């Protein structure tokens, strides 16, 4: 049986990926500092791949052409074994394709490839979604990496902040029971800076559905810190589990939870990519260690 994990090595960085969910489970700097949350009891995941939905559907049900399919929050990719398509010292690609099980939840043909590549102190992650069927492919995809918060144990959580590349004046969105509330809320970002505190997540995730930036720095004044950048994604989620969990998720998304009042067919849900037969969409993000 092929080994189900692989540790990639680059210049000043290493990353471990597992076949289950094509999930990143470790990201270390040259000195061995672990940046990624290690799936403690507060949340048993590290960096799940969200596909073919981001967030929750109303009633956890997908409606398509008069049929109803069960679909749990964030989709099934994070719980499916991927096939290893490439295993190199500094890069790997894992692939998920539709099968009888996926079609019982999501009646569409697809190929999802996730590629991890290490460069100098940087991890590049690419999502490649191909419509292998003969009808329109409605899909969302999102990244969900969880970083240690604080990054070093001798720091306080409130020492850490997010600093965006651009000012972020647009209102944010919030959730109720996993569904998107209708009324936007004023942003907690002041200029380019989001001060971090546990109370920020009392009402679940901070959802930026109109981010001006395509990169953000996470950390305290002193290093270590990291910068995330992204291409092809439209929304950004920021989340920690309410109640003081020691991780912070920075989540580029193309897609969003169903609005609380949306009861229509899945293909009409706001925020989806609609991929034509034989076409593909490629989205990517980077984590650079500072």
């Amino acid at each position: 049986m092929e080994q189900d994990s692989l540790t990639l090595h680059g210049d000043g960085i290493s990353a471990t990926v597992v076949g289950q969910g094509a999930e990143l489970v470790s990201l270390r700097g040259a000195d061995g500092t672990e940046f990624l949350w290690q799936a403690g009891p507060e949340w048993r995941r590290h960096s799940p791949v969200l596909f073919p939905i981001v967030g929750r559907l109303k009633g956890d049900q997908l409606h398509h052409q008069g049929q109803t399919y069960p679909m749990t929050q964030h989709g099934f990719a994070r719980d499916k074994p991927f096939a290893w398509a490439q295993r190199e010292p500094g890069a790997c690609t894992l692939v998920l394709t539709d099968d009888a099980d996926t079609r019982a939840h999501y009646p569409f043909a697809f190929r999802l490839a996730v590629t991890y590549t290490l460069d100098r102190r940087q991890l590049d992650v690419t999502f490649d979604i191909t419509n292998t069927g003969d009808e329109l492919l409605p899909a969302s995809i999102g990244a969900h990496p969880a970083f240690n918060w604080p990054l070093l144990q001798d720091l306080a959580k409130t020492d850490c902040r997010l600093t965006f590349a651009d000012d972020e004046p647009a209102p944010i969105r919030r959730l109720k029971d996993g569904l998107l509330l209708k009324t936007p809320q004023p942003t907690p970002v002041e200029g380019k800076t989001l001060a971090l505190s546990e109370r920020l997540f009392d009402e679940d995730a901070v959802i930026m559905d109109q981010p001006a930036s395509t990169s953000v720095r996470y950390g305290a004044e002193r290093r270590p810190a990291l910068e995330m950048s992204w291409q092809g994604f439209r929304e950004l989620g920021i989340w920690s589990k309410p109640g003081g969990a020691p991780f912070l998720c920075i989540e580029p998304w193309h897609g969003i939870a169903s609005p609380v009042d949306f009861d229509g067919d899945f293909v009409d849900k706001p925020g989806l990519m609609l991929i034509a037969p034989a076409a593909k969409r490629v989205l990517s993000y980077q984590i650079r260690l500072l």
Side-chain angles (χ1 to χ4, degrees):
M1 180 177 176
E2 188 173 29
Q3 184 182 4
D4 200 45
S5 69
L6 178 66
T7 297
L8 309 175
H9 296 279
D11 184 359
I13 188 171
S14 65
T16 301
V17 178
V18 296
Q20 184 70 14
E23 188 171 7
L24 177 70
V25 299
S26 177
L27 185 66
R28 293 180 178 269
D31 63 356
T33 298
E34 178 64 72
F35 285 79
L36 208 66
W37 165 246
Q38 289 302 291
E42 296 89 346
W43 192 55
R44 292 294 189 182
R45 300 182 189 269
H46 305 261
S47 181
V49 175
L50 314 184
F51 177 87
I53 64 170
V54 171
R56 173 155 275 147
L57 301 181
K58 192 170 185 180
D60 293 327
Q61 294 181 332
L62 184 154
H63 302 289
H64 180 65
Q65 294 184 348
Q67 300 293 313
T68 298
Y69 302 84
M71 176 68 78
T72 54
Q73 184 179 30
H74 292 325
F76 50 69
R78 60 184 184 170
D79 296 315
K80 295 283 287 181
F82 281 61
W84 295 90
Q86 175 196 17
R87 296 169 64 99
E88 303 292 341
C92 65
T93 299
L94 304 96
V95 174
L96 179 68
T97 56
D98 62 285
D99 58 20
D101 180 64
T102 69
R103 288 190 292 271
H105 302 273
Y106 180 68
F108 303 97
F110 67 88
R111 179 184 187 272
L112 169 61
V114 183
T115 298
Y116 294 92
T117 307
L118 290 185
D119 202 344
R120 179 174 171 79
R121 294 185 63 79
Q122 179 168 299
L123 172 67
D124 293 271
V125 185
T126 300
F127 297 140
D128 189 321
I129 308 161
T130 303
N131 182 351
T132 57
D134 56 9
E135 65 174 308
L136 203 63
L137 177 65
S140 287
I141 195 161
H144 201 316
F147 303 105
N148 289 320
W149 181 29
L151 283 172
L152 292 179
Q153 290 186 347
D154 64 344
L155 293 170
K157 284 185 170 183
T158 51
D159 291 334
C160 301
R161 63 186 63 85
L162 292 178
T163 307
F164 292 92
D166 299 295
D167 287 346
E168 294 291 349
I172 64 163
R173 307 296 294 273
R174 289 287 198 174
L175 303 170
K176 182 174 176 57
D177 300 325
L179 300 178
L180 194 69
L181 290 169
K182 294 178 67 173
T183 305
Q185 295 186 12
T187 181
V189 183
E190 296 185 2
K192 299 178 181 179
T193 302
L194 177 60
L196 295 174
S197 71
E198 292 177 354
R199 298 304 304 272
L200 184 63
F201 305 105
D202 285 352
E203 299 177 66
D204 208 320
V206 173
I207 299 171
M208 302 171 67
D209 64 342
Q210 306 172 63
S213 304
T214 55
S215 67
V216 64
R217 180 191 186 276
Y218 165 55
E221 287 293 337
R222 64 182 174 92
R223 296 184 178 183
L226 60 86
E227 182 183 79
M228 277 193 69
S229 54
W230 53 90
Q231 299 81 38
F233 297 95
R234 301 198 312 184
E235 296 88 14
L236 186 72
I238 303 161
W239 177 71
S240 185
K241 191 169 183 178
F247 64 82
L248 180 78
C249 296
I250 306 171
E251 309 176 41
W253 297 340
H254 195 303
I256 204 161
S258 290
V260 293
D261 57 351
F262 178 77
D263 292 302
D265 279 0
F266 181 66
V267 71
D268 297 321
K269 189 178 93 67
L272 292 174
M273 295 177 284
L274 299 175
I275 306 172
K280 69 164 58 179
R281 291 288 291 271
V282 179
L283 308 89
S284 61
Y285 72 96
Q286 296 77 40
I287 303 170
R288 184 162 63 94
L289 306 185
L290 303 176

